[in-house]
């Protein structure tokens, strides 16, 4: 039996609408025009919007510029990344610890600007190794990470996504890089971003909205939808990115979304007619 949506009136009753980015509101620099229309309709009706991406290869400032260029007109406080969640965890719970980060230069500089004690990777020891989505990946970086993890460093990862959707197909993401380190060292990282508790806690603290008044839209069962299902946030899947209807049918009942639509276009029509 195919997936059927329950009463969709609930969707219009939420206060905060959280949007995944890649595969949900755009693919690379190919924007979904209906996503702009839907988000503008939400704002016009007094609803709050938050863009949250697990893609930590760029900073919040980058996404402000990108979303502005694409036509979404975001404010800075409407954007959050898994990198932000990871930095906040380090500041609260690992203050002063030395960190080797496998990530883009942009992400490394963001960590440094937030007061994290960053290493180059040439050191003999590190307190913490963090891997992320790194489009500037080199074998040397991976070797450094594995060596430091084997040497006793705590292992963290900004987010668990295996693939990042682009205009031309999927490319390996943070979860694939973490799998490399795990295969070499036998150590599995502590993950941040969606679907982990630290993410919903940070969203709640930043917005003041309770979980039952939130709704998340995304294209992945194991991150976007799992965030909602595990933490009491209404979870809406769109088929404009990674997940297919067949994936939903094959999923365990607890992993299925609360709602599923072809895209945000249909959600907009359901809520606003």
């Amino acid at each position: 039996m195919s997936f059927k949506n329950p009463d969709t009136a609930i969707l219009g009753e939420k206060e905060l609408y959280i949007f995944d980015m890649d595969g949900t509101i755009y693919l690379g620099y190919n924007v979904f025009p209906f996503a702009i229309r839907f988000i503008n309709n939400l704002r016009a009706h007094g609803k709050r919007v938050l863009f949250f991406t697990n893609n930590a290869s760029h900073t919040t400032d980058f996404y402000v510029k990108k979303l502005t260029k694409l036509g979404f007109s975001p404010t800075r406080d409407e954007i959050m990344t898994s990198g932000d969640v990871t930095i906040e965890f380090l500041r609260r719970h690992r203050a002063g610890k030395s960190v080797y980060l496998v990530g883009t230069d942009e992400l490394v500089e963001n960590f440094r600007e937030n007061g994290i004690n960053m290493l180059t990777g040439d050191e003999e020891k590190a307190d913490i190794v963090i891997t992320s989505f790194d489009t500037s990946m080199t074998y040397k970086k991976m070797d450094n990470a594995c060596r430091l993890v084997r040497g006793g460093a705590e292992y963290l990862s900004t987010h668990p996504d295996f693939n990042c959707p682009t205009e031309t197909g999927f490319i390996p993401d943070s979860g694939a890089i973490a799998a490399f380190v795990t295969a070499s060292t036998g150590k599995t990282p502590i993950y941040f971003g969606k679907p982990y508790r630290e993410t919903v806690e940070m969203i709640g603290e930043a917005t003041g909205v309770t979980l039952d008044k939130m709704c998340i839209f995304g294209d992945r069962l194991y991150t976007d939808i799992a965030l909602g299902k595990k933490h009491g946030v209404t979870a809406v899947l769109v088929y404009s990115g990674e997940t297919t209807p067949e994936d939903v049918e094959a999923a365990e009942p607890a992993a299925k979304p609360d709602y599923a639509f072809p895209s945000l276009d249909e959600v907009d029509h359901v809520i606003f007619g």
Side-chain angles (χ1 to χ4, degrees):
M1 181 182 295
S2 61
F3 182 89
K4 288 184 170 40
N5 286 324
D7 181 9
T8 55
I10 294 171
L11 295 176
E13 299 171 358
K14 302 298 180 178
E15 295 178 8
L16 176 67
Y17 295 77
I18 305 164
F19 292 89
D20 171 56
M21 298 191 209
D22 298 313
T24 301
I25 64 172
Y26 59 68
L27 281 175
Y29 276 90
N30 290 339
V31 66
F32 300 144
F34 49 76
I36 297 176
R37 184 188 71 230
F38 177 41
I39 288 168
N40 284 339
N41 279 337
L42 289 171
R43 291 180 177 133
H45 286 79
K47 304 296 187 178
R48 298 176 65 182
V49 170
L50 179 70
F51 301 95
F52 189 103
T53 180
N54 267 2
N55 186 344
S57 65
H58 298 295
T59 64
T60 298
D61 288 338
F62 169 89
Y63 285 112
V64 169
K65 294 175 183 176
K66 177 172 182 176
L67 290 177
T68 298
K69 184 176 181 179
L70 293 178
F72 289 97
S73 304
T75 59
R76 197 179 190 285
D77 61 4
E78 286 182 331
I79 299 173
M80 193 178 295
T81 75
S82 65
D84 296 329
V85 177
T86 307
I87 288 170
E88 189 63 22
F89 173 84
L90 293 173
R91 293 173 65 176
R92 291 186 183 188
H93 303 291
R94 301 291 190 273
K97 297 291 187 180
S98 62
V99 174
Y100 177 62
L101 171 63
V102 176
T104 60
D105 290 345
E106 186 178 347
L107 185 62
V108 171
E109 185 59 27
N110 190 30
F111 272 57
R112 186 176 289 113
E113 289 175 351
N114 278 277
I116 308 303
N117 179 15
M118 302 300 291
L119 301 178
T120 65
D122 295 326
E123 298 83 0
E124 291 187 6
K125 295 285 184 179
D127 293 321
I128 299 169
V129 167
I130 302 175
T131 57
S132 186
F133 179 31
D134 187 2
T135 52
S136 58
M137 173 60 62
T138 65
Y139 189 85
K140 178 63 174 175
K141 287 184 181 183
M142 297 300 284
D143 181 35
N144 287 340
C146 292
R147 174 176 52 81
L148 293 169
V149 169
R150 288 192 207 97
E154 181 180 16
Y155 183 28
L156 312 177
S157 174
T158 57
H159 60 291
D161 303 48
F162 289 112
N163 294 300
C164 179
T166 73
E167 305 97 317
T168 56
F170 296 112
I171 59 175
D173 205 326
S174 174
I177 292 170
F180 181 111
V181 177
T182 296
S184 178
T185 66
K187 300 291 180 64
T188 301
I190 296 171
Y191 288 102
F192 294 94
K194 298 172 289 188
Y196 298 99
R197 175 178 52 81
E198 289 82 3
T199 293
V200 290
E201 287 180 350
M202 189 169 175
I203 291 173
E205 290 174 8
T207 63
V209 178
T210 57
L211 300 181
D212 62 307
K213 294 296 184 181
M214 299 179 187
C215 180
I216 183 168
F217 299 91
D219 69 305
R220 293 182 179 90
L221 289 173
Y222 62 95
T223 55
D224 308 311
I225 302 310
L227 180 77
K229 300 297 286 188
K230 291 181 177 181
H231 305 291
V233 174
T234 298
V236 183
L237 180 75
V238 290
Y239 295 124
S240 50
E242 181 174 315
T243 303
T244 67
E246 291 74 23
D247 294 330
V248 172
E249 289 303 309
E252 294 296 323
K256 292 182 187 293
D258 296 309
Y259 299 87
F261 296 92
S263 71
L264 292 178
D265 186 26
E266 290 76 17
V267 184
D268 186 27
H269 288 299
V270 162
I271 295 179
F272 298 113

